Amino acid sequence: MTRSRLLEAIAGGDVARVAAMLHPDTAVNPAQGTTPLYRAAVAGHHDIVRLLLEYGADPDRPSGGHEEGLPLCAAACWDHAETVQALLDGGADPDAAEEGGWTALLWAAANGNLESADILLDAGADPGRADDDGDTPLTLAAIFGAYGIVWSLLEHGADPSAPGWDGATPLEISSRLAAADLEAMLREEVSARVEGEHTVLVAHGSAPDGTRRVTVEARGADGGYSITRQRGHAAVATVLESALGLRPSADVLLRRVLPYRDLDEDDETWWAAVHALQSRHDEETFLALTRLCESDDPVEREFGVDVLAEFGQETRPGRERVVGQETGVGQETRPGRETVIGRDAGRAPYRDRTLAILRDMARHESEPAVVEALLHAFGHHADERALPEVLDIVNSPGRKPTVHDPVALAAVLPPDDEDGLATLIRLSECPDDEVRDWATMGIAGLAADSARIREALTTRLADRDLTTVAEAARGLAGRGDRRALDGIHRVLCEAGADQDYARDLALEAAQELGLEISGA
């Protein structure tokens, strides 16, 4: 067997053919030329990567072909996340550097490759290791506008004040780019790279962290050039300010985020500002939010309510599910609008004053977006005093329920309130799968136990949505009702590979009933 045939099979992603070619004395670590492992890594063939590692391929051996380097750097550069994980599992050094001091994390940050960056950070990659020119993962992510990567780097201990090669800090970089016309800047840059007549093409899409991704390409007779960036610079600036202890006013943050409301997938830039303000817990910020809630502008009111949803609260997480960004960024829960059931309130020095403002607003607010924000806030406060306002909103004539209806109602519902329970049961019969699911979860999580509650949960065992079935089974099992068995059996038999949450709930329900499920 020649190495060229092996490289050809690897390039084609032919796992069976590669497996047939490999044997204990196969030269998988050649002294010269392209290594088989690099060829598999750059193409993202993670199954072949694992095969080669089993046969002794060195994950930290640089490839000798033209402009080639480390397999891990190649996989991270092209965001082949499963390949990154396979190489790390095979012993690759997450901080190994190739020419110029470039590590896999630097490549991932420079290209906005969030999933690969998260895997590398979780594997222990140094979040502050710079290349030979002095750029760090944080400065490169700031240039790209990769909000999710910046967030992850800070969570893993990156220094927000460390400058890049030109002396500019990540905050200076992101603030400058947030104020620029990104698309015009990219058009100018790609045009300068292509000689003669050329055509400029622009493509927009959503990045893994939810911010907008822009690719600008110039095509000419003699070739082309393209650049990709994210419109995450404003969110990056906000999270860096918080990390540095800087405190721009609520008005400044609101003005910063407004241009992104129609760009971000789930209002990521908005929520970066919201979370920055929620962490402050001071009177000056509280009064500024109060003024926003009294504004004639509904967007200002919505922003004020979103911040007050958790302003000044120190919470201890209980059993919760999150609506909003997950993971993520492919992994963990990222900043976004979070709706929580079962959160324990900790110290909340602004709780009573905030709740009074929100309740007063709810009595006269008619703007739909602000009403949704109020429900979201009541769900976080989980205070029974807000029950009248929540019921008035949820039961308002002509209202089309959203997930915030059952979440808020379940959070403020006392154990003995029959009218509230009837409304929550009605929501559990809503045509919308999500509303039905959250309402069922709300019923299941009530502290009360009654025939009415059990019958409502039993009805949902026949639901078309398996997560709703699992929530109902968990609620029945927690009450010792063996009718949960029908739901447990159905979920475990029907749940697909992407329905781990429903399966886990069913297994919890089985455990509550003292059942042992083998092979689940």
Side-chain angles (χ1 to χ4, degrees), residues 2 7 16 86 111 121 134 165 175 194 216-217 219 231 277 305 310 327 346 362 422 494-495 504:
T2 64
L7 292 176
N111 290 286
L121 287 166
W165 70 271
S175 297
V194 179
V216 180
E217 179 181 5
R219 294 180 184 175
R231 294 186 185 272
L277 290 167
V305 170
E310 292 186 88
T327 268
E494 298 179 19
D504 289 345

Side-chain angles (χ1 to χ4, degrees), residues 62-256:
S63 186
H66 179 62
E67 294 188 346
E68 293 179 347
L70 292 169
L72 187 63
C73 288
C77 178
W78 294 101
D79 203 23
H80 299 313
E82 289 183 281
T83 302
V84 170
Q85 188 64 65
L87 288 163
L88 292 168
D89 291 344
D93 178 358
D95 284 325
E98 54 187 22
E99 185 177 353
W102 279 75
T103 65
L105 183 57
L106 285 164
W107 279 113
N111 290 286
N113 296 336
L114 177 58
E115 188 173 0
S116 292
D118 275 340
I119 291 171
L120 289 161
L121 287 166
D122 289 343
D126 183 351
R129 178 164 178 164
D131 65 15
D132 291 351
D133 292 327
D135 266 319
T136 68
L138 201 52
T139 57
L140 293 173
I143 291 169
F144 196 90
Y147 168 51
I149 295 179
V150 169
W151 193 90
S152 288
L153 288 166
L154 293 172
E155 285 288 294
H156 285 84
D159 180 359
S161 64
W165 70 271
D166 61 352
T169 66
L171 178 57
E172 290 169 339
I173 293 167
S174 57
S175 297
R176 170 173 52 83
L177 292 172
D181 183 333
L182 183 63
E183 187 174 315
M185 184 180 72
L186 297 181
R187 282 176 176 271
E188 182 178 347
E189 186 170 346
V190 297
S191 293
R193 300 287 190 124
V194 179
E195 296 181 358
E197 293 290 327
H198 61 271
T199 301
V200 175
L201 306 174
V202 181
H204 297 272
S206 181
D209 62 16
T211 59
R212 198 74 170 160
R213 177 168 278 182
V214 183
T215 299
V216 180
E217 179 181 5
R219 294 180 184 175
D222 298 324
Y225 188 81
S226 70
I227 305 176
T228 298
R229 294 286 185 270
Q230 287 175 219
R231 294 186 185 272
H233 298 102
V236 168
T238 299
V239 75
L240 285 168
E241 286 167 343
S242 293
L244 291 164
L246 302 176
R247 296 166 59 89
S249 70
D251 289 334
V252 167
L253 288 175
L254 178 57
R255 287 195 299 273
R256 178 187 295 171

Side-chain angles (χ1 to χ4, degrees), residues 425 450-461 476 481 483:
I425 291 173
S450 67
R452 193 176 186 187
I453 289 173
R454 294 192 184 202
E455 288 306 317
L457 293 172
T458 302
T459 299
R460 299 272 59 82
L461 296 178
L476 287 168
D481 193 319
R483 285 178 289 183

